[in-house]
Amino acid sequence: MIADPKGLYQEVILDHNRKPRNYGTLEHPSHHAEGLNPLCGDHIHVSLDLAGDKVEAIAFQGESCAICKASASMMTVAVKGKSRSDAQTLIGEFVAMATGRLDPRNGPHIGRLAVFAGISELPMRVKCAILPWHTLRAAFNAVATASTEADADPMRTPLGDA
Ligand code: ZN
């Protein structure tokens, strides 16, 4: 299915880095969180508007490396219009995939985000890729700040057999 994962990965990252989708802020977001990855210096804000159970609008902005920015951009596209529970399922699948615990073929919601599967082989960049998702989860849970160095750091949880 993915003939040239490295090439595709680079192409998608470059595209979203050049033209990040949903970049900016929302005027009156119902949920917001700030995300920090001290290892790389990534610092982003994720804002969303939940209308009932649906992610009506989502935006991100901040200073980050290309991988973090591309991941955030693709995340906003992936969760916009989804229900909160579907978005949370996707957060779980993405983090599991990026940390090498889930084969993207076994992640029913991963779709195009599978281009990030190779990131699990680049330990220095894993936190860059998962920071936006970590931050979105914090926003859903009304936590003001998410950090990849927090106790809930998915990199420190034991790896399963997935
Ligand atoms: Zn980074």
Side-chain angles (χ1 to χ4, degrees):
M1 193 174 73
I2 301 171
D4 179 12
K6 209 174 167 201
L8 178 62
Y9 158 85
Q10 285 173 344
E11 191 187 309
V12 172
I13 301 268
L14 286 173
D15 177 51
H16 279 265
N17 194 44
R18 266 196 307 264
K19 295 176 291 181
R21 322 300 199 260
N22 304 301
Y23 191 84
T25 50
L26 301 176
E27 215 165 308
H28 299 290
S30 63
H31 294 68
H32 164 262
E34 182 176 13
L36 298 162
N37 172 17
L39 278 189
C40 174
D42 302 315
H43 182 190
I44 60 167
H45 293 264
V46 173
S47 306
L48 61 140
D49 263 326
L50 272 185
D53 188 44
K54 191 178 157 202
V55 180
E56 191 82 1
I58 179 166
F60 81 101
Q61 70 174 10
E63 293 295 321
S64 67
C65 67
I67 287 173
C68 181
K69 195 185 217 178
S71 177
S73 173
M74 290 188 74
M75 177 186 80
T76 62
V77 172
V79 304
K80 198 172 186 175
K82 278 203 167 59
S83 71
R84 176 181 175 142
S85 65
D86 282 354
Q88 282 171 319
T89 300
L90 185 56
I91 293 170
E93 286 185 13
F94 185 90
V95 171
M97 176 185 74
T99 52
R101 288 176 287 173
L102 174 71
D103 185 312
R105 285 166 295 189
N106 299 326
H109 306 92
I110 290 288
R112 299 188 49 167
L113 293 161
V115 294
F116 281 96
I119 208 81
S120 62
E121 287 159 32
L122 304 168
M124 295 296 290
R125 311 323 297 266
V126 170
K127 288 182 176 183
C128 301
I130 65 175
L131 179 68
W133 301 82
H134 227 41
T135 310
L136 176 60
R137 180 182 275 157
F140 276 133
N141 295 332
V143 176
T145 308
S147 171
T148 53
E149 303 307 300
D151 290 343
D153 184 346
M155 294 300 290
R156 289 189 206 157
T157 56
L159 298 184
D161 297 330

